Amino acid sequence: GASVASSLYSFVENVLPELYIMADPGQFFNYSNPNFYLAGYLAEQHGAASYAELMSSEVFGPLGMSNTTFSNEQVLERGNWGAGTDPSGEITPQSYDNVWAAPAGYAWTTVMDVAQLGQFLLNGDETILSAETLERLQSPLVDTYFYGSLQSYGHGLFIGTGIVNDSK
């Protein structure tokens, strides 16, 4: 299959320019996968590795997320995965791979690795990210207008300022 780096490069260079900007940044909330593709591409252009390698060395490894990867082959080799279903049938790591879209969330992980990330977001770790940068990461930038004004969006995170009960 294609590598994340070549596929991401191809998408950003050839497809992304055909998309349009809905509004200037910060005008309103509208989640956008292409923004994450662009961020991953920029990380590759300014780093010495592919997006997947950068995430592994700069985020997953330092946080102890040893079961998080962008490689469906690694998931299959480890055998540590659960199948899902949709109207077309069973979904396995072999049927779910979108290598150029990796920066928008195509990582494979485990509950324990997600807990490691959660602990980092709650408590920080200055060997990975400065306290100032973590604070900026957790700061609201634009109101989503979901739940009144109790939820905002920041740098890739939803930020809640109250308690919401979604139970029906």
Side-chain angles (χ1 to χ4, degrees):
S3 74
V4 172
S6 66
S7 298
L8 182 57
Y9 177 87
S10 178
F11 178 83
V12 169
E13 292 291 329
N14 300 309
V15 178
L16 194 60
E18 301 297 321
L19 301 176
Y20 65 95
I21 296 174
M22 293 178 80
D24 290 334
Q27 294 298 306
F28 65 90
F29 168 76
N30 186 28
Y31 181 87
S32 173
N33 280 351
N35 289 340
F36 286 94
Y37 308 149
L38 184 57
Y41 170 80
L42 292 172
E44 286 185 353
Q45 299 306 303
H46 295 283
S50 72
Y51 176 78
E53 292 166 339
L54 287 168
M55 289 298 294
S56 181
S57 66
E58 302 297 320
V59 179
F60 305 150
L63 289 177
M65 297 171 67
S66 59
N67 290 305
T68 303
T69 180
F70 286 100
S71 168
N72 60 351
E73 289 91 10
Q74 282 184 354
V75 173
L76 289 167
E77 286 171 13
R78 292 176 184 159
N80 185 14
W81 56 275
T85 59
D86 73 5
S88 66
E90 186 176 59
I91 300 171
T92 71
Q94 293 167 308
S95 59
Y96 186 77
D97 190 20
N98 200 356
V99 71
W100 60 268
Y106 283 84
W108 297 93
T109 192
T110 63
V111 170
M112 295 307 290
D113 277 10
V114 172
Q116 290 291 103
L117 178 61
Q119 286 297 314
F120 167 71
L121 291 173
L122 285 172
N123 303 318
D125 182 338
E126 293 229 17
T127 64
I128 297 169
L129 197 63
S130 72
E132 177 186 350
T133 302
L134 182 60
E135 183 179 339
R136 287 182 56 213
L137 180 71
Q138 297 171 337
S139 296
L141 294 175
V142 63
D143 195 325
T144 64
Y145 297 106
F146 296 146
Y147 313 115
S149 289
L150 295 177
Q151 185 184 71
S152 296
Y153 195 70
H155 295 284
L157 296 173
F158 287 102
I159 295 101
T161 56
I163 297 172
V164 175
N165 182 353
D166 271 344
S167 63
K168 305 271 182 216

